[in-house]
Amino acid sequence: MSRTPPLSFFTTAKALCGNKYERFRPFDPKVDYVGPAGSSLSKIIPQEIYGCNVRPAAWVHDCLYEIGGSENDREKADLIFHALMLQLIEDHKWSKWQLGVGRFAARYRATSYYEAVRVCGGACFAYKKPLK
């Protein structure tokens, strides 16, 4: 299994993130990006969904959270995270028996990751004070 995402992933991430993408730290396939950094939660949240590595999507999400902004920026970061997870799931080389049910279950799990970050991720986002 390759731990590095396909080039199409980075192209899509750059298109979705716009000029913020230039401020991202480099992707390291050995780093645990899934879950809150430094938290014991990050050790128990799987980095793969049914064999599909979602770590690259979490890396983009972490970078967007570090850049921060308004609540709208946070919502957009979460939506980008979800879209990138779904792309990774679609691009994953599923075995014949996993193609239907496995891929469907992976999409469902990706949506649960998205919902969890919408509910619990606010404490990790770098909110910027609005300009007056």
Side-chain angles (χ1 to χ4, degrees):
M1 175 194 80
S2 172
R3 297 183 81 116
T4 304
L7 288 177
S8 63
F9 172 84
F10 293 107
T11 304
T12 303
K14 188 172 185 174
L16 289 173
C17 298
N19 61 355
K20 289 182 180 181
Y21 187 83
E22 304 305 322
R23 296 169 52 192
F24 287 7
R25 65 181 180 277
F27 176 74
D28 182 351
K30 297 175 190 151
V31 172
D32 177 359
Y33 296 109
V34 181
S39 167
S40 59
L41 265 179
S42 68
K43 301 297 178 215
I44 62 173
I45 300 171
Q47 311 235 355
E48 293 184 354
I49 297 177
Y50 302 110
C52 177
N53 182 12
V54 295
R55 188 177 292 160
W59 164 71
V60 170
H61 188 252
D62 285 1
C63 291
L64 289 170
Y65 264 46
E66 285 173 12
I67 292 169
S70 67
E71 181 58 35
N72 287 340
D73 294 320
R74 178 176 167 243
E75 184 176 8
K76 185 176 179 183
D78 294 344
L79 288 168
I80 289 171
F81 174 52
H82 191 228
L84 291 174
M85 280 191 297
L86 293 176
Q87 180 190 347
L88 289 167
I89 290 166
E90 289 307 308
D91 292 346
H92 184 69
K93 305 281 189 259
W94 296 96
S95 67
K96 216 177 217 180
W97 68 271
Q98 286 181 313
L99 244 156
V101 175
R103 192 165 51 185
F104 174 80
R107 287 186 200 122
Y108 184 80
R109 175 75 54 89
T111 300
S112 69
Y113 279 33
Y114 163 76
E115 290 171 347
V117 84
R118 282 303 303 146
V119 172
C120 304
C124 299
F125 189 77
Y127 285 102
K128 307 284 191 242
K129 291 186 179 181
L131 300 174
K132 293 184 179 182

